[in-house]
């Protein structure tokens, strides 16, 4: 007979935990201890903690504490850090006393398979519209429990998707709104499974690639589905989903921010368009502030800051970021949702403020985030021209990573003098560029090109070989056109005659000048 301490649904969840966590050898040894009645003094507290002793022949008694709410947090005094044979034996003893066969824990994988096969899938699917999103996630976990991860996580994702596609073979009485949310939770489920694999197997560039690919696919999906959602009837599912993602963020460690990115993308595409968006901001902040945590995850701190910013609480937002002890190690991508929100709301002064304050986080090799950062600066100074000085100061501080960005900006803004100085610093000459690159300068301020051409011509002549003489002649012909553009043909003739006289002994150069029809 079962007990209120664990009901049938919770027992299946326990079996699922055991199947995912324990290997067969540990379960076999735990079953032996259970059969030998080595579990003693088992007691269940009102707070749903189970305390028991497990006798060892040589080392005496090991103390075990089971956490019925969070099985993975169970503890044993033996040297094994977690999921040991002693804890397994106590789970079996507890199940036996509550009327659940211990052999089901011993063969958890097989029992789950049988339970899945004996339960009508169609009947379960028909209940999905009545479940909340946490019920959906549990169902998806059960439904894909037989799919095991492989080294190739891309293949693992494909197997999960193929299994989930079978759901579509049965007509589920979802409303249009619920169908969209259920589809989204399938994507969130895949993301969660990938993160679990990374935690178990360690993060590598190979696994990270699959993780970020799925993460980007979710972003694209959210954007595509946004126009199909009727926000007036989406409230409950939306709040459930935000709560689910908050919980995922609470369990994150380090600076991965996948769930934070999903949360902010969901906000941008699904919440912000809702006329009641400010209502959600207030509710979410209240929910975050009531989450009692000794040290909030970086993602939760970032989301709280993101929501504060939408209440025009910029100071509180920055302080929320700083409340996390490892904030200084945060990646640049953390700030992109903040920038996007300020840009979308056309809050230019605050955007400039955040661009300036976050500059140090972009002081690393050029990435797409640095490009986005620079692009936002250019958009901001269109609206606030007085901020341009701050932009150049920041970009100079980000050298050398911002070198190409500065170069591109100077060219786009037609600041020809500093752009040419950068070309000279890099050792470039006019032949490095396509002709059309220098044409705007020839048209607007041809005088600026004179030192650029003269320096390059002298350099090629100094190399004293026929190939470089040919290049010098090409530049001389282009320089001739620049002087003509300036209407200073006399100045050109004076320079050229002096040039020919200085290098009269270089016969190969003289020949190339004649071939180029610069000499008669």
């Amino acid at each position: 007979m079962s007990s209120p301490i664990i009901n049938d649904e919770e027992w299946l969840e326990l079996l699922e935990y055991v199947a995912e966590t324990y290997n067969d050898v540990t379960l076999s040894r735990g079953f032996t201890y259970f059969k030998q009645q080595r579990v003693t003094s088992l007691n269940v507290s009102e707070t749903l903690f189970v305390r028991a002793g497990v006798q060892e022949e040589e080392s005496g008694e090991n103390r075990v504490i089971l956490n019925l709410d969070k099985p993975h947090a169970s503890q044993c005094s033996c040297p094994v850090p977690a999921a040991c044979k002693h804890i397994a034996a106590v789970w079996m003893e507890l199940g036996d006393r509550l009327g659940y066969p211990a052999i089901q824990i011993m063969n958890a994988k097989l029992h789950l398979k049988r339970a899945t096969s004996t339960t009508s899938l169609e009947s379960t699917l028909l209940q999905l519209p009545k479940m909340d999103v946490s019920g959906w996630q549990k169902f998806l976990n059960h439904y894909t429990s037989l799919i095991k991860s492989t080294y190739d996580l891309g293949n693992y994702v494909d197997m999960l998707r193929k299994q989930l596609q079978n759901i579509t073979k049965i007509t589920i009485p979802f409303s249009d709104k619920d169908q969209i949310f259920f589809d989204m939770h399938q994507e969130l489920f895949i993301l969660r499974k990938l993160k679990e694999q990374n935690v178990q197997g360690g993060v590598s560039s190979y696994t990270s690639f699959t993780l970020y690919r799925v993460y980007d696919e979710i972003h694209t999906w959210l954007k595509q589905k946004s126009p199909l959602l009727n926000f007036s009837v989406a409230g409950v599912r939306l709040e459930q989903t935000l709560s689910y993602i908050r919980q995922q963020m609470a369990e994150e460690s380090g600076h991965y921010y996948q769930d934070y990115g999903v949360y902010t993308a969901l906000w941008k595409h699904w919440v912000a368009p809702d006329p009641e968006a400010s209502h959600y901001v207030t509710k979410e902040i209240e929910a975050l502030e009531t989450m009692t945590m000794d040290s909030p995850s970086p993602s939760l701190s970032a989301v709280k800051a993101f929501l504060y910013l939408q209440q025009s609480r910029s100071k509180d937002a920055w302080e929320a970021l700083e409340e996390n002890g490892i904030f200084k190690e945060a990646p640049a991508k953390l700030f992109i949702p903040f920038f996007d929100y300020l840009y979308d709301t056309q809050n230019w002064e605050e955007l400039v403020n955040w661009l300036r304050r976050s500059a140090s986080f972009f002081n690393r090799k050029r990435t797409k985030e640095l490009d986005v950062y620079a692009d936002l600066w250019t958009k901001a100074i269109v609206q606030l021209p007085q901020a341009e000085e701050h932009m150049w100061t920041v970009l100079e501080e980000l050298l050398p990573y911002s070198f190409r960005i500065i170069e591109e900006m100077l060219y786009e803004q037609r600041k020809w003098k500093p752009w040419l100085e950068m070309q000279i610093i890099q050792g470039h000459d006019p032949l490095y560029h396509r002709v059309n690159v220098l044409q705007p300068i020839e048209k607007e301020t041809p005088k600026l090109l004179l030192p650029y051409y003269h320096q390059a011509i002298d350099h090629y002549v100094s190399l004293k070989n026929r190939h470089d003489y040919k290049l010098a002649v090409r530049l001389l012909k282009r320089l001739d056109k620049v002087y003509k553009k300036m209407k200073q043909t006399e100045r050109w003739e004076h320079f050229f005659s002096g040039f020919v006289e200085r290098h009269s002994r270089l016969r190969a150069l003289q020949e190339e000048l004649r071939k180029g029809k610069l000499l008669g």
Side-chain angles (χ1 to χ4, degrees):
M1 176 177 129
S2 64
S3 162
I5 296 173
I6 297 179
N7 59 34
D8 292 346
E9 182 179 353
E10 291 167 339
W11 178 253
L12 285 175
E13 290 177 4
L14 174 62
L15 292 181
E16 182 179 354
Y17 159 73
V18 170
E20 291 179 349
T21 308
Y22 286 81
N23 59 49
D24 292 339
V25 173
T26 301
L27 290 174
S28 177
R29 290 173 178 172
F31 189 69
T32 299
Y33 276 33
F34 162 75
K35 294 294 287 183
Q36 292 175 349
Q37 298 183 348
R38 295 197 183 193
V39 179
T40 62
S41 62
L42 187 148
N43 293 297
V44 181
S45 70
E46 293 181 358
T47 56
L48 296 184
F49 282 90
V50 176
R51 289 175 169 80
V54 180
Q55 294 292 333
E56 286 279 10
E57 292 180 355
E58 299 178 358
S59 58
E61 186 180 71
N62 288 290
R63 305 304 301 169
V64 172
I65 301 176
L66 301 184
N67 187 328
L68 299 184
D69 283 336
K70 297 179 180 179
H72 61 274
S74 298
Q75 302 173 8
C76 179
S77 61
C78 77
V80 178
C84 65
K85 61 187 176 183
H86 309 105
I87 295 177
V90 177
W91 282 120
M92 294 174 191
E93 179 68 23
L94 176 67
D96 183 72
R97 295 190 185 190
L98 298 178
Y100 295 103
I103 194 67
Q104 290 186 4
I105 290 184
M106 166 69 178
N107 297 308
K109 295 178 183 178
L110 178 61
H111 182 76
L112 285 172
K113 184 176 180 180
R114 288 175 178 172
T116 301
S117 62
T118 55
T119 302
S120 170
L121 175 61
E122 183 171 358
S123 175
T124 304
L125 290 173
L126 292 176
Q127 296 301 313
L128 288 174
K130 300 177 182 178
M131 298 180 187
D132 60 16
V133 300
S134 63
W136 289 350
Q137 289 291 328
K138 290 177 181 177
F139 163 75
L140 295 171
N141 218 40
H142 284 300
Y143 187 66
T144 60
S145 60
L146 297 181
I147 297 177
K148 302 305 177 187
S149 176
T150 63
Y151 176 77
D152 183 350
L153 287 186
N155 185 49
Y156 177 54
V157 170
D158 291 340
M159 289 191 296
L160 287 173
R161 290 196 190 282
K162 186 175 181 181
Q163 175 72 355
L164 294 176
Q165 284 173 359
N166 291 328
I167 296 175
T168 61
K169 296 177 181 179
I170 297 175
T171 302
I172 306 172
F174 274 134
S175 65
D176 292 342
K177 172 235 349 178
D178 275 1
Q179 184 64 62
I180 292 175
F181 275 96
F182 184 70
D183 290 345
M184 178 177 67
H185 274 272
Q186 292 182 63
E187 298 301 316
L188 295 178
F189 169 74
I190 292 173
L191 181 63
R192 175 165 66 87
K193 298 301 285 186
L194 280 176
K195 290 190 301 174
E196 290 173 358
Q197 294 306 316
N198 273 351
V199 170
Q200 294 175 15
V203 180
S204 67
S205 58
Y206 186 74
T207 57
S208 291
F209 173 79
T210 304
L211 186 61
Y212 284 113
R213 176 172 63 83
V214 171
Y215 167 72
D216 289 341
E217 288 171 353
I218 293 176
H219 273 242
T220 302
W221 187 91
L222 287 170
K223 186 175 182 179
Q224 290 174 344
K225 296 298 180 179
S226 176
L228 304 177
L229 194 63
N230 181 350
F231 292 101
S232 64
V233 295
V236 174
R237 288 298 187 201
L238 184 57
E239 290 182 15
Q240 291 175 358
T241 300
L242 291 171
S243 176
Y244 167 78
I245 301 175
R246 282 200 311 272
Q247 190 56 46
Q248 291 298 302
M249 287 188 288
E251 297 172 5
E252 273 189 351
S253 61
H255 289 295
Y256 297 114
Y257 294 104
Q258 279 88 11
D259 290 298
Y260 160 77
V262 171
Y263 185 99
T264 54
L266 178 66
W267 199 277
K268 177 177 182 178
H269 299 301
W270 289 31
V271 183
D274 189 338
E276 297 295 320
S278 60
H279 163 74
Y280 287 112
V281 173
T282 302
K283 292 195 69 171
E284 284 297 292
I285 289 176
E286 290 175 354
L288 286 166
E289 290 178 342
T290 56
M291 292 179 74
T292 54
M293 300 179 64
D294 294 334
S295 57
S297 72
S299 287
L300 281 181
S301 297
V303 160
K304 188 190 295 184
F306 177 74
L307 295 170
Y308 283 157
L309 190 63
Q310 297 186 51
Q311 290 185 327
S312 300
R313 297 164 61 185
S314 183
K315 181 181 178 182
D316 291 337
W318 195 268
E319 288 178 354
L321 290 174
E322 289 182 324
E323 76 180 5
N324 194 282
I326 56 175
F327 170 59
K328 292 181 179 179
E329 303 168 18
K333 67 180 180 180
L334 166 70
F335 295 94
I336 302 302
F338 292 82
F339 301 156
D340 285 345
Y341 170 75
L342 293 170
Y343 175 78
D344 291 341
T345 56
Q346 300 184 13
N347 192 342
W348 307 114
E349 291 187 2
E350 203 58 64
L351 175 58
V352 168
N353 179 40
W354 276 77
L355 289 170
R356 292 178 66 186
R357 294 192 72 174
S358 62
S360 61
F361 293 88
F362 292 84
N363 194 13
R364 53 201 69 177
K365 68 179 182 179
R366 185 169 180 179
T367 60
K368 64 179 181 179
E369 286 83 14
L370 181 56
D371 290 336
V372 170
Y373 177 78
D375 183 58
L376 285 163
W377 263 116
T378 60
K379 291 175 178 176
I381 64 173
V382 170
Q383 306 298 326
L384 289 178
Q386 64 270 31
E388 183 172 358
E389 183 179 348
H390 296 308
M391 180 188 75
W392 291 118
T393 299
V394 165
L395 291 178
E396 287 174 9
E397 291 172 353
L398 296 181
L399 286 169
Y401 306 117
S402 61
F403 195 96
R404 298 292 177 219
I405 291 172
I406 294 174
E407 183 180 8
E408 292 164 7
M409 282 188 176
L410 290 173
Y411 189 87
E412 290 172 2
Q413 297 181 19
R414 311 181 93 79
K415 297 180 184 294
W416 304 129
K417 189 173 186 297
W419 183 82
L420 285 167
E421 290 171 351
M422 291 190 75
Q423 306 315 303
I424 293 172
I425 289 172
Q426 296 175 83
H428 296 163
D429 62 55
L431 295 178
Y432 174 82
H433 312 283
R434 294 180 179 178
V435 175
N436 63 348
V437 172
L438 299 180
Q439 281 177 343
I441 309 177
E442 288 184 14
K443 182 178 180 180
E444 295 177 19
T445 53
K447 183 178 179 181
L448 292 176
L449 288 171
L450 295 181
Y452 196 35
Y453 275 104
H454 281 291
Q455 178 176 299
I457 291 167
D458 288 343
H459 169 70
Y460 284 120
V461 171
S462 69
L463 297 176
K464 295 185 179 181
N465 65 75
R466 188 172 289 273
H467 171 73
D468 291 304
Y469 290 156
K470 290 180 180 180
L471 298 180
V473 170
R474 283 176 58 188
L475 288 172
L476 284 164
K477 295 172 75 172
R478 287 168 61 174
L479 181 59
D480 181 16
K481 293 180 181 179
V482 172
Y483 276 109
K484 288 178 180 176
K485 182 79 70 173
M486 297 169 59
K487 298 181 179 179
Q488 294 186 12
T489 53
E490 290 183 4
R491 187 176 172 187
W492 158 254
E493 290 172 356
H494 177 74
F495 157 74
F496 186 67
S497 61
F499 175 85
V500 172
E501 184 176 349
R502 282 198 312 276
H503 303 297
S504 58
R505 295 185 178 182
L506 301 177
R507 294 183 180 180
L509 175 61
Q510 299 292 319
E511 289 177 9
E512 293 302 325
L513 289 171
R514 283 190 285 272
K515 288 180 182 179
K517 299 182 181 179
L518 289 173
L519 281 179

